[in-house]
Amino acid sequence: MASEGEMAPHRLEAHQPDPFRLAQPRQLKEVLARHGFTLKHGLGQHFLVDAGVLRDIVEAAGIGSEDGAFEVGPGAGVLTACLGHVARRVLAVEKDPALRPVLAETLDGLHNVEVRFADVLDLDLRDLWAAFADCRRVAVVANLPYYVTTPILFRLLEAGVRMDVIVLMVQREVAERLAAHPGSKSYGALSVAVQYRAEVQRLRRVGPGCFLPPPDVESAVVRLRLRSQPAVEVDDDARLFQVVRAAFGTRRKTLRNALRAGLGLSGDECEALLAEAGIDASRRGETLSLEEFAAIANTWGRMRPRDPGAST
Ligand code: SAM
């Protein structure tokens, strides 16, 4: 591990106490023990204990003193405290109320940090975002609970709130899926849905030893830069995602068969749709680019009324 001086980015060094002090197994265990807190595997509680990884996450978000930060699952507050030292305002949502006394200690004195105890999937993010009204940019930063990564990611992307960048710790396989290109083994509905809205970068791998307790899987940090406009022009987002789900719903099937089953089209309708969109019907969903999915969705929209009952 690097020395303390090397670990802290310049902006953080001016502040006391050192926000990285908790990112060490012994310190973290002491805090948790002081409050009689027992880690819950079922809530994905693997807390970060590597200051180098912590620094990389905070730096990747590029948060300045006029920016807001939203964190899902602050845990013991290791990452939250770092965010509190660089951001104008931090809002964090933690599902486990047993962490309340732990967070009261670790975030003590950080008056710009607020923690709500709730399941993030139950909250209306548009209400929460009122906290960021006076912020220049908003970053979402999270070491996500792996059991619920995909629903949380979709909730964030579909919330319709201002978000400039999302920096996430995820399971390594999920990072590969998020960044995957057509034709690769990891490419799927998640890749298309996320790349439609964001530019995805895999930043670094993170080994199990960087967490307390170590998870069974490898992890990775990814950065999603939200696009001001989706990557491709689509008449109707919902229709695009219907096509994507249908194409990947029956992997290794040709588009001819996958779309027929998934969109409720007849064989002739399916052939006509793909011909009109300029896509070979014998191709498989996992080879299609975002542009090609958009072409099918837009063509389908122009071919048939919106009423889903009409297709079945
Ligand atoms: N941010 C801390 C860190 O990096 O050390 C903790 C990360 S830990 C992987 C995930 C955290 O998310 C846990 O504290 C867990 O209790 C919390 N959590 C799990 N499910 C959640 C949910 N649905 N909504 C909000 N928080 C959740």
Side-chain angles (χ1 to χ4, degrees):
M1 230 194 266
S3 75
E4 220 168 80
E6 286 165 343
M7 289 186 304
H10 183 70
R11 282 178 301 179
L12 294 172
E13 282 178 320
H15 297 275
Q16 288 299 326
D18 173 13
F20 289 93
R21 74 196 185 285
L22 280 174
Q24 297 170 49
R26 193 167 60 82
Q27 257 82 348
L28 184 61
K29 279 182 192 164
E30 276 174 16
V31 175
L32 298 178
R34 223 178 355 263
H35 298 283
F37 181 80
T38 315
L39 289 152
K40 298 177 187 71
H41 183 72
L43 283 179
Q45 288 179 346
H46 298 279
F47 295 168
L48 249 181
V49 285
D50 185 296
V53 175
L54 198 54
R55 178 201 56 207
D56 287 348
I57 292 175
V58 176
E59 287 188 351
I63 298 166
S65 57
E66 292 175 36
D67 300 338
F70 181 72
E71 186 189 6
V72 180
V78 176
L79 176 55
T80 327
C82 290
L83 297 174
H85 279 80
V86 292
R88 180 185 192 100
R89 183 156 299 109
V90 180
L91 181 58
V93 176
E94 172 55 58
K95 184 169 177 175
D96 187 356
L99 283 163
R100 194 185 288 272
V102 176
L103 287 164
E105 176 183 331
T106 58
L107 302 177
D108 185 37
L110 288 169
H111 302 296
N112 59 340
V113 178
E114 184 191 344
V115 181
R116 305 250 179 114
F117 289 91
D119 184 329
V120 73
L121 295 173
D122 291 341
L123 298 178
D124 185 339
L125 296 186
R126 281 164 305 183
D127 290 344
L128 294 185
W129 247 245
F132 300 124
D134 60 351
C135 292
R136 188 177 58 103
R137 292 166 72 251
V138 181
V140 175
V141 185
N143 169 17
L144 283 182
Y146 293 168
Y147 77 102
V148 72
T149 295
T150 308
I152 291 178
L153 187 50
F154 276 102
R155 176 59 63 98
L156 291 169
L157 290 172
E158 286 164 5
V161 293
R162 182 165 58 105
M163 235 175 251
D164 298 274
V165 66
I166 303 178
V167 178
L168 300 176
M169 175 83 75
V170 294
Q171 208 171 317
R172 206 179 93 204
E173 285 72 24
V174 175
E176 280 162 12
R177 284 164 57 203
L178 291 173
H181 296 300
S184 74
K185 196 162 60 73
S186 307
Y187 188 63
L190 184 67
S191 328
V192 179
V194 171
Q195 291 170 28
Y196 176 60
R197 297 198 170 94
E199 183 200 326
V200 182
Q201 286 173 286
R202 273 185 297 172
L203 299 182
R204 62 166 291 169
R205 288 181 174 203
V206 181
C210 297
F211 301 90
L212 178 82
D216 295 334
V217 293
E218 292 273 323
S219 305
V221 178
V222 290
R223 175 166 55 198
L224 276 54
R225 290 187 197 277
L226 278 296
R227 304 180 192 278
S228 52
Q229 295 293 324
V232 288
E233 224 174 282
V234 170
D235 301 334
D236 179 348
D237 284 3
R239 199 180 288 281
L240 172 71
F241 295 121
Q242 261 179 291
V243 170
V244 171
R245 268 195 303 274
F248 287 107
T250 46
R251 232 173 147 82
R252 284 183 293 279
K253 263 196 184 175
T254 60
L255 283 173
R256 178 186 292 116
N257 292 329
L259 296 189
R260 203 171 55 196
L263 301 181
L265 300 177
S266 69
D268 286 350
E269 284 171 329
C270 196
E271 293 283 351
L273 165 60
L274 290 166
E276 179 76 18
I279 312 284
D280 181 342
S282 65
R283 285 177 62 189
R284 297 169 204 283
E286 48 269 37
T287 69
L288 256 58
S289 67
L290 201 43
E291 288 75 10
E292 290 173 317
F293 277 116
I296 297 175
N298 289 338
T299 307
W300 184 37
R302 288 166 203 151
M303 280 176 71
R304 65 188 276 285
R306 184 77 179 83
D307 172 16
S311 68
T312 53

